[in-house]
Amino acid sequence: MSHFPLRLLDGLSEDILDLDEGQRLFSRGDPIRWLYIVRAGEVHLIRHLEAGQELVMSRSGPDSMVAEGSMFSDRYHCDAISMGPSRLSRFERGAVQARISADPDAIRAWSQWLTHSLQAARTRAEILSLKTVQERLEAWFALDPESEKSPSTWKSVANEIGVSPEALYRELARRKR
């Protein structure tokens, strides 16, 4: 996910929230009053399916907005859950909307950020549509050739490309032969 243009929030009143792992930030159906920026940690948007499965709709890490699609909605369409200790900033949604509406530069920054977010979501959907771990990993490396040099992130890579860490580790071991 691309980083939110934090300059849009300069001067707005901000509250800090600390969440524990598994703590809910908001629930599906809750009214939307706040814009949340992850400062540290990770928050997932999760939709619960009728058969009991959880579908991760979005992953927000540091300097990312949680639930950007809710900026102009009345109620949340997913649950937001902290995946570990997380720190977030909270801004009143109406104040952010007013800031964006009043300034052509802010409108441009918001639009550019949404465009990048949409492109990232489409890319992730394409990667997830690939059948094998090998294909998914190849596509992920193609997006960021330098990424192969940071093995400390393999567990998060597995999560990002929709495979188990064990399957990813097997694929990485196969490549080293």
Side-chain angles (χ1 to χ4, degrees), residues 11-82:
L12 296 179
S13 178
E14 172 181 10
D15 295 325
I16 300 295
L17 304 172
D18 289 309
L19 301 178
D20 294 324
E21 181 174 351
Q23 190 171 351
R24 190 176 301 264
L25 179 61
F26 54 77
S27 297
R28 183 179 183 175
D30 285 352
I32 300 167
R33 296 186 45 227
W34 306 101
L35 177 148
Y36 297 97
I37 302 294
V38 177
R39 298 300 186 165
E42 186 172 15
V43 174
H44 287 187
L45 290 183
I46 297 174
R47 179 148 318 146
H48 298 277
L49 304 178
E50 286 184 30
Q53 305 99 318
E54 291 183 349
L55 183 61
V56 177
M57 303 299 291
S58 176
R59 294 164 172 80
S60 299
D63 296 332
S64 296
M65 183 177 168
V66 177
E68 65 275 5
S70 65
M71 177 61 100
F72 298 101
S73 297
D74 294 326
R75 299 197 174 273
Y76 291 110
H77 296 101
C78 299
D79 298 331
I81 309 291
S82 179

